[in-house]
Amino acid sequence: MWKSVRSGAAVLCAALLASACGGGEQSGTGARPQEKVQLSYGVWDATQQAVMQELAAEFTRTHPNIAVDVQLTPWADYWTKLKAAVSGGAAPDVFWMNGPNFQLYASNGVIRPIEEQVDTSVYPKALVDLYTFDGKLYGLPKDMDTVGVWYNKTLFDAAKVKYPADDWTWADFKQAAARLTDAGKGVHAVGAQLTSFQEYQYNTIYQAGGYVISPDGRKSGYDDPRTIEGLKFWTDLIAAKQSPDLKTMTDTAPIQLFEAGKLAMYWGGSWDVAEFTKNDYTKDKVDVAPLPKGEKQATIIHGVANVMSAKTEHPAQAWEFVKFLGSKQAADILGKKGPIPAYNGTQADWVAAHPELRLQTFLDSVAYAVPYPVSKNTAAWQEAELTHLTKAWTGEVPVDKAAAGLAAAMNDLLAKE
Amino acid sequence: MTTTAERRPALAGRTAKRRRPRTEALWGYAFIAPTGLGLTIFYLWPVLQTAYFSFTEWGAFGGHTWTGLDNYARLLGDPEVGQAMLNTLMYTVLGLAGIPLAIVFAALLNRPGLRGVSVYRTAFFLPVVTMPVAVAMLWRWLYNGDYGLVNQMLATVGVDGPNWIADPATAMYALVVVGIWSSVGYNLIIFLAGMQAIPKELYEAAAMDGAGRVRQFFRITLPMLSPTAFFISIVSVIGSLQLFDLVFVMTGSGQSARANPAYSRLQTVVQLFYERAFVTDDRGYAAAIVIALLVLIAALTIAQFRLQRRWVHYV
C-alpha cells in the first residue's frame, strides 16, 4: 500500500519537474509566454470528422497555443442539442451553421458577428448573403452544394432516350419523363419527393419565375401563380403516373427506388456523389446533368458556414480559427476529401476526384444559383409547407388551393417573427 | 387500525410509550427519503414547472414571459390538438383489445402439463424486452406497400394490400396491431401470475359439481382475475395515452413525417408536444399541451376507479 503511494508520488514529482523544465526551456528560447487555450468545434457530419480533425491539426501547427477539439453530434440531434447548449451557456466556441437555422441564431444574438473586414469576394455571393443578417456577416462559408439531375444511363438506353443536354428545358424533361416511364417494369421517370424542398420544389418554383419568400423575409410567395406553376410541375408528374404516388414514396424513399433501378432520374444535391459512387447498383450506371430550364434557369445553392458562439471565452482565438477555416489553405485540404469547398478556385480537386461523372455541372450552375430561402424561424413555416403540400401531393386538394392555404399560414407565422 | 390499537395502552404509560411510534415514524421517513427525494426532484418538480411554463411564452434560447391563459385559449381553437387527442383516444380504446387477448393466451399457457411452456412464454415476452424503436423499424418494413412481407403474403392469396402506414384508412389499425403485439407479452405474464394465485380448491369444487373447462374459465378464472385486469387496464390506458416512440419512428422520423399522407390520422398528443417543444421552439404552448394530456389521463383514471365497483371482484 505505502509502496504504491510512494512510487505514485515519485511519478508525480517527476512530472512536475519535467513540466517545470519544459517551461524553462520555452522562456529560454525566447518564445513569448502566451496562454494555451482549447477551442471546441461542433460539427454534425461523421463522414467529414476525419478531414475536420486534419484541419484542426493543421491549424494547431501554425497556432501552437490553440488546440481544437472536434466534437461530433449526429445530424438528428445536432440542433436540439445545440439549442440546449446555447441556452445553458455551454455552446462550442466555433460550430457549423446552416441556412435554415442561421437567422434564428443571429437574431437572438447567440452567435458573434465578424468584426474584422474580410474579403468576401472569394466566396459565392449567394452564400455570403445567406450568412448576413442586418448588414452584418456572421459566418465564413465552408462548403457549398447545388442540385442537379442524376440519371440512370442504363434505363435511358433501354428506353432509347438521349441523355439530357446541358441546355435542356422543362418541355424536354417532360418528354423524356413520358418515355422513361414503364409501368410494366414498375419503372417511373422520377420521384416527386416532397420532403426535400432544396432538391425538388424550391428549384422548380424559381425556375417558373416564382419565389418562396419575399426578399425582406416578410411575405410568403406561395400565392404567386408562378410559384404554383413550380409546384404543379411535380403534382402533374404524379397525376400522369410518371412519378410514384406519395404513399409509395412514404414507404420507400425515392433515393432507394433510384438505387434499385426503379426511377430513371433523381433530383439530388452535389453531396450525393459520395453515395452514388459507392452504391453497388448506381456506381457504374449514373451521371449528372443540370436541372432543366423553365422560365429561367435556377438551382438552389446552400452551404455550411463556420460561426462563433457569442459567449466564447476566447473570441480572438475563435476568430483566428474561423478565418483559417475560411482560407484557401483550408479549402484545398477540404476539397480533396470532403464536399465542394466554398472558396472560389479551389474546387478543381473535387471535380477531378470522379472523372467518370460530369461534376463540373454543379460548379457551372453556381452562375444562376438562388440562395436557399430562409427567415428568422424557418422551421415553423417548413412544417406548414409539409402539412399543406401533402394534401396537394396526394391529390386530395387542388394545388392552387393548397398553396393558398399555405401562403396564409406562412404569412401568419412570418408576422409573428 | 394497528396504530389506534397500539396507542390505547399508551394512555396508561404516557411518556414511555408515546416516544416509540414517533421514532418509528422518523425511521420510516428516513427509509423512504431517498425515493421520496428522487420523486420530488425528478417527477414532482418538473410537473410543477411544466404547469407554470404552460402560462408562459418562450424564446428559442430560453427566457420566458408570462402570458396568462393565452396558450390554453390557443389550445382550444387548434384543430391539430383536437385531432391528436382523437387519434390518441382511438389508439387507447382499440388497444384495450389486447387485454382479452392476453387473458386467452395466458389461459392457454396455464394448462397443466403443456409441453414447452417456457418456450412459448419467452416467445410472447420477447417483443416486450425489444426496444420500441427497433420494433417500429421492423414493422415499418413488414408494412411496406411494395416490398413488405405482409403484402407479399397477401399477394399469395390474391389480395393487393395497401400501403399500411401511409394510407389514412389503414394506418391507425396497423399501428394498434403493433402496439398490441408488443405489449401482449407483458400483460400475459401478469395474468399468468394472477391465474396461479387462484386457489386450486375452487376448480376442484367446480369440477366436482360438473363444471367443464370452459365453464370454469368463465365462472372462476375470469372473476378471480378481475383485479389483475383492472390493474392492467389502468396501466395500459396511461401507457397508450402517452404513446410516442412507436408512432414517431413508424410515421418517418423528424419533420418529414408530415409528408406521410396518414400523418393527421396518426399524430399523437405527445408527438405534437415534441414538435412544438423541440422543432418549432414553442415551449410554452408545448407545456400547455402536456398539461391538457395530464388532465385527460387523470380524468380517465378516476373514471376507471369509479367504474371498477361494477366489474372488479375482490376476494
Side-chain angles (χ1 to χ4, degrees), chain A residues 59-249:
Chain A
F59 176 71
T60 306
R61 210 171 56 80
T62 50
H63 300 76
N65 287 321
I66 313 175
V68 178
D69 175 27
V70 178
Q71 298 175 344
L72 177 80
T73 308
W75 169 256
D77 308 315
Y78 185 82
W79 298 106
T80 314
K81 193 175 155 192
L82 186 61
K83 244 177 240 167
V86 168
S87 309
D93 299 296
V94 177
F95 52 89
W96 284 10
M97 177 52 64
N98 73 358
N101 283 285
F102 165 66
Q103 291 197 8
L104 184 71
Y105 283 72
S107 65
N108 279 287
V110 296
I111 51 176
R112 174 178 284 272
I114 293 169
E115 273 141 20
E116 197 178 307
Q117 262 316 317
V118 281
D119 176 20
T120 53
S121 68
V122 297
Y123 311 111
K125 188 177 175 304
L127 294 184
V128 175
D129 290 348
L130 191 62
Y131 293 105
T132 303
F133 181 76
D134 267 354
K136 279 189 223 150
L137 182 67
Y138 281 78
L140 292 188
K142 162 188 165 291
D143 56 39
M144 65 173 194
D145 43 66
T146 54
V147 182
V149 178
W150 292 93
Y151 59 94
N152 183 329
K153 290 187 281 189
T154 309
L155 292 179
F156 268 68
D157 291 343
K160 298 194 173 60
V161 178
K162 264 200 318 187
Y163 298 157
D166 279 350
D167 59 349
W168 70 331
T169 61
W170 277 22
D172 297 332
F173 179 85
K174 285 174 182 170
Q175 213 178 0
R179 290 177 52 196
L180 287 162
T181 304
D182 186 343
K185 290 188 185 138
V187 172
H188 290 94
V190 67
Q193 185 164 355
L194 177 56
T195 49
S196 180
F197 307 122
Q198 187 183 352
E199 295 165 289
Y200 289 79
Q201 308 87 291
Y202 286 173
N203 295 293
T204 49
I205 285 172
Y206 287 99
Q207 283 160 10
Y211 63 103
V212 174
I213 187 167
S214 62
D216 63 359
R218 295 282 174 80
K219 200 185 149 298
S220 166
Y222 276 105
D223 45 9
D224 185 293
R226 286 164 301 176
T227 304
I228 295 168
E229 275 308 302
L231 296 175
K232 275 192 70 176
F233 181 91
W234 298 109
T235 51
D236 285 351
L237 284 164
I238 297 177
K241 300 207 187 306
Q242 289 161 8
S243 158
D245 62 12
L246 188 58
K247 283 183 207 162
T248 304
M249 289 187 286

Side-chain angles (χ1 to χ4, degrees), chain A residues 187-411:
Chain A
V187 172
H188 290 94
V190 67
Q193 185 164 355
L194 177 56
T195 49
S196 180
F197 307 122
Q198 187 183 352
E199 295 165 289
Y200 289 79
Q201 308 87 291
Y202 286 173
N203 295 293
T204 49
I205 285 172
Y206 287 99
Q207 283 160 10
Y211 63 103
V212 174
I213 187 167
S214 62
D216 63 359
R218 295 282 174 80
K219 200 185 149 298
S220 166
Y222 276 105
D223 45 9
D224 185 293
R226 286 164 301 176
T227 304
I228 295 168
E229 275 308 302
L231 296 175
K232 275 192 70 176
F233 181 91
W234 298 109
T235 51
D236 285 351
L237 284 164
I238 297 177
K241 300 207 187 306
Q242 289 161 8
S243 158
D245 62 12
L246 188 58
K247 283 183 207 162
T248 304
M249 289 187 286
T250 302
D251 274 352
T252 316
I255 193 164
Q256 292 171 312
L257 293 170
F258 184 68
E259 289 180 339
K262 298 290 180 191
L263 293 181
M265 292 180 279
Y266 177 82
W267 289 41
S270 45
W271 61 85
D272 283 323
V273 176
E275 173 67 25
F276 292 150
T277 52
K278 207 177 59 200
N279 181 280
D280 278 336
Y281 177 83
T282 52
K283 67 182 175 196
D284 52 359
K285 289 191 187 66
V286 301
D287 204 348
V288 64
L291 297 182
K293 180 172 179 277
E295 278 294 304
K296 43 178 129 171
Q297 264 189 315
T299 181
I300 298 293
I301 185 170
H302 179 259
V304 173
N306 291 298
V307 297
M308 296 169 277
S309 162
K311 286 208 179 131
T312 172
E313 284 170 29
H314 314 292
Q317 289 90 340
W319 166 236
E320 278 305 312
F321 185 49
V322 168
K323 200 156 68 172
F324 166 77
L325 291 171
S327 69
K328 182 169 182 305
Q329 188 194 356
D332 281 332
I333 296 174
L334 187 68
K336 288 193 183 74
K337 288 165 188 169
I340 314 177
Y343 199 100
N344 288 338
T346 62
Q347 294 98 349
D349 280 335
W350 183 81
V351 175
H354 292 285
E356 75 279 17
L357 299 172
R358 285 192 295 158
L359 294 184
Q360 186 63 34
T361 304
F362 289 112
L363 298 181
D364 292 345
S365 63
V366 173
Y368 51 82
V370 180
Y372 191 101
V374 295
S375 75
K376 277 187 214 164
N377 195 357
T378 315
W381 50 266
Q382 285 194 340
E383 185 187 286
E385 285 179 312
L386 284 169
T387 307
H388 289 269
L389 294 181
T390 297
K391 293 191 188 110
W393 252 243
T394 57
E396 200 182 321
V397 173
V399 184
D400 47 351
K401 250 179 100 182
L406 169 55
M410 184 168 159
N411 282 330

Side-chain angles (χ1 to χ4, degrees), chain B residues 214-224:
Chain B
V214 176
R215 189 130 184 232
Q216 285 177 19
F217 176 76
F218 282 104
R219 292 295 168 147
I220 300 171
T221 314
L222 268 191
M224 294 296 282

Side-chain angles (χ1 to χ4, degrees), chain B residues 1-73:
Chain B
M1 285 298 273
T2 38
T3 40
T4 44
E6 266 173 9
R7 261 186 201 160
R8 244 169 234 154
L11 288 169
R14 226 175 222 186
T15 43
K17 294 249 169 132
R18 260 190 74 185
R19 211 168 279 154
R20 234 188 70 213
R22 200 178 279 173
T23 42
E24 256 177 29
L26 271 179
W27 275 111
Y29 286 125
F31 281 127
I32 62 162
T35 313
L37 216 61
L39 278 175
T40 313
I41 295 174
F42 295 111
Y43 285 87
L44 198 60
W45 178 238
V47 170
L48 292 175
Q49 260 188 324
T50 306
Y52 167 71
F53 291 153
S54 72
F55 297 103
T56 61
E57 197 183 322
W58 279 68
F61 301 99
H64 54 274
T65 49
W66 181 265
T67 53
L69 288 169
D70 281 8
N71 287 329
Y72 289 97

